[in-house]
Amino acid sequence: MPIQAAPGTVGNLTPEQEVKLQEFWVLLLKVCGVNVEGIESNGDVATPPSPSSQKKAAPKRRFTFFGGKSNDEEEDTTANGVTTSIASINITDGDDKYGQSKEFQQAITDMKPEEIRVTLWNMVKQDNPDSLLLRFLRARKWDIKKALIMLVSTIRWRLQDVKVDDDIVKNGELAALEQSKSSDPEEKRKGEEFLKQMRMGKGYIHGVDKDGRPICVIRVRLHKPADQSTDTLDRFTVYTIESARMMLSPPVETAVSFLSLHERIFKHLT
């Protein structure tokens, strides 16, 4: 029996949800520094400029005499204006449960549009780009503003805090193996701790459920806080989640976490 797309996912959207997705794309493209002036209200068709409105492109000037602005300066001014308008987006403290509004504004201030754009596409990987945006829309109950804040905050976290794509996913367990052979005690410890998590089978992905979702098995009894640092555990967790993402097969967009508590409960009962 073929797997049906879940409600709110690609291929199973209501007209209202499609509009929300298109509006989300327009806002996100603005954050990424993309010119969206020609995009129509339907979100996917650009309106060609009329002949009367077309102007001959002037060559770019690096400087001008008599204090005039160069074309580059004018473009920078426009970009700064867009950045300022986007940065004004925020949510009230009561709705900002995880303080993401401040992270969003910090990301808009600190990161260049190019950095956000590159990190976004690195984050997409093999996913349908619409699927990625829909995850954030569903997580924020189809509130576009909250979804944008959550997504941009996540992009900043992936790039600057955890380096998900440039380090954890790119280097994987091979980097940990190399670290474990290092002459530097600290590097050696990090590598050995990461490999220990994998070798003991504390968390692994095995098969799919009846809906085609990858199953991530977590064996709770194997977790002992003193066996590894928080940084190592965080790295292993992110690596496992990103690995599960690689195993998603459309129309499936989610995975399943299975916590094996049997051995832990049995230990406490004996």
Side-chain angles (χ1 to χ4, degrees):
M1 181 178 178
I3 298 173
Q4 300 296 322
T9 62
V10 173
N12 193 2
L13 297 175
T14 66
E16 293 79 10
Q17 290 171 343
E18 288 186 2
V19 171
K20 293 277 188 181
L21 176 60
Q22 292 168 359
E23 292 175 352
F24 191 11
W25 266 117
V26 171
L27 271 182
L28 182 58
L29 290 174
K30 287 182 179 179
V31 172
C32 293
V34 178
N35 186 349
V36 295
E37 289 182 1
I39 297 180
E40 291 183 339
S41 59
N42 64 6
D44 58 2
V45 179
T47 305
S50 61
S52 60
S53 65
Q54 290 180 339
K55 296 181 181 179
K56 185 176 180 180
K60 289 189 176 181
R61 295 166 292 168
R62 293 298 175 186
F63 58 88
T64 57
F65 295 104
F66 310 114
K69 283 188 176 181
S70 69
N71 290 356
D72 287 351
E73 289 175 340
E74 291 173 358
E75 290 176 0
D76 290 342
T77 301
T78 302
N80 290 336
V82 172
T83 301
T84 302
S85 64
I86 292 294
S88 64
I89 296 176
N90 56 44
I91 50 182
T92 60
D93 292 338
D95 293 332
D96 193 10
K97 184 177 180 181
Y98 300 104
Q100 289 184 329
S101 186
K102 292 181 180 179
E103 292 181 8
F104 167 77
Q105 293 176 13
Q106 193 68 38
I108 296 299
T109 302
D110 294 346
M111 298 176 66
K112 297 179 180 178
E114 175 69 15
E115 287 182 298
I116 297 176
R117 183 165 65 249
V118 170
T119 306
L120 170 67
W121 290 113
N122 286 339
M123 180 179 175
V124 170
K125 293 188 178 65
Q126 80 291 343
D127 277 346
N128 182 325
D130 284 344
S131 296
L132 179 65
L133 268 63
L134 285 169
R135 288 192 188 110
F136 288 88
L137 281 171
R138 293 194 301 269
R140 288 298 175 259
K141 302 186 185 302
W142 301 93
D143 186 309
I144 300 172
K145 184 171 67 174
K146 291 181 181 179
L148 178 68
I149 289 174
M150 183 182 184
L151 175 54
V152 174
S153 299
T154 300
I155 288 174
R156 178 179 180 272
W157 173 80
R158 291 177 71 96
L159 177 66
Q160 298 183 351
D161 295 346
V162 187
K163 297 178 174 57
V164 176
D165 302 298
D166 294 337
D167 179 16
I168 296 179
V169 175
K170 179 181 178 180
N171 298 323
E173 64 269 26
L174 179 59
L177 180 62
E178 295 299 327
Q179 280 183 313
S180 68
K181 301 175 182 178
S182 174
S183 58
D184 184 334
E186 181 63 17
E187 288 295 306
K188 182 180 179 67
R189 178 191 63 79
K190 290 179 180 178
E192 289 177 342
E193 286 184 353
F194 184 88
L195 291 175
K196 184 178 180 180
Q197 311 303 304
M198 300 194 71
R199 288 167 174 163
M200 73 170 63
K202 179 185 291 186
Y204 58 90
I205 302 165
H206 181 72
V208 297
D209 68 1
K210 64 180 181 180
D211 294 323
R213 298 174 297 183
I215 301 173
C216 180
V217 180
I218 303 170
R219 301 169 70 189
V220 179
R221 76 173 181 87
L222 296 179
H223 177 62
K224 296 179 177 59
D227 284 353
Q228 68 287 306
S229 66
T230 302
D231 289 342
T232 298
L233 187 59
D234 288 346
R235 185 181 181 89
F236 175 72
T237 301
V238 171
Y239 179 78
T240 304
I241 292 172
E242 290 296 313
S243 297
R245 279 189 62 202
M246 296 287 189
M247 298 181 182
L248 295 176
S249 179
V252 176
E253 296 187 7
T254 57
V256 175
S257 295
F258 177 79
L259 275 68
S260 177
L261 301 174
H262 172 71
E263 293 159 315
R264 169 70 72 176
I265 294 173
F266 181 76
K267 179 180 179 181
H268 284 291
L269 290 177
T270 55

